[in-house]
Amino acid sequence: GESVGLHLPTLSVQEGDNSIINCAYSNSASDYFIWYKQESGKGPQFIIDIRSNMDKRQGQRVTVLLNKTVKHLSLQIAATQPGDSAVYFCAENDYGGSQGNLIFGKGTKLSVKP
Amino acid sequence: DTGVSQNPRHKITKRGQNVTFRCDPISEHNRLYWYRQTLGQGPEFLTYFQNEAQLEKSRLLSDRFSAERPKGSFSTLEIQRTEQGDSAMYLCASSSSTGGEQFFGPGTRLTVL
């Protein structure tokens, strides 16, 4: 079965609000985590990544939090905009032990209401 | 455009036909990956190359599937005797040899009738 999953399949937020998308993973050996955004008909687009030696990383309007104790990953989007509407995937990899393929969850569909 | 490119973007074929997709990775990337994505699901790993060497294959890659990267640059994914269950988006990604972020192409949407 999948080692990476998401708590909620859909999330609807008001424009300007903050969004939080959650992800659970099961492989405690995973040492690299990444969030992708995928718009309809397009390939996944990198948002932000984090390695297991960190618990927080910030980008432009996005923050990823990693809690290795409970094997939980979250993506926070500040001041959500209509252009943020997409499906968001978390993915993990055990680069220390495997060959490099990412394991993806099923995704959370984010809808931003104007 | 210096990103990952894939051709064709869409392919419609009849069951039993063979199809071939091409991926051109970011030029300085040594690693190239193929994934398959069905509707409502996340991408699933198929296979990956380090330069021209195919280093890993998923159990999803049946004997009808074959991938090549002969010169360590572009790659092709061939599906022989296509089945309706092969209908999916086929995604290619590339990364540097140190791993980390994988950059995805736009995908090839395959429809098997």
Side-chain angles (χ1 to χ4, degrees), chain A residues 26-70:
Chain A
S26 59
N27 184 2
S28 57
S30 290
D31 52 17
Y32 177 73
F33 304 88
I34 189 167
W35 281 99
Y36 283 95
K37 171 187 179 184
Q38 188 174 28
E39 297 172 291
S40 181
K42 297 183 179 180
Q45 176 187 358
F46 171 83
I47 300 173
I48 192 168
D49 59 1
I50 189 168
R51 298 200 179 271
S52 58
N53 61 352
M54 303 172 67
D55 54 20
K56 181 179 180 179
R57 191 169 187 216
Q58 289 184 294
Q60 186 178 10
R61 285 202 304 118
V62 295
T63 301
V64 56
L65 299 177
L66 175 63
N67 186 331
K68 295 182 287 293
T69 301
V70 295

Side-chain angles (χ1 to χ4, degrees), chain A residues 72-104:
Chain A
H72 184 268
L73 192 69
S74 69
L75 175 70
Q76 300 178 0
I77 305 173
T80 313
Q81 302 169 359
D84 295 327
S85 294
V87 177
Y88 290 80
F89 293 97
C90 65
E92 66 174 313
N93 185 270
D94 172 16
Y95 277 123
S98 74
Q99 299 296 330
N101 60 288
L102 294 171
I103 300 171
F104 284 80

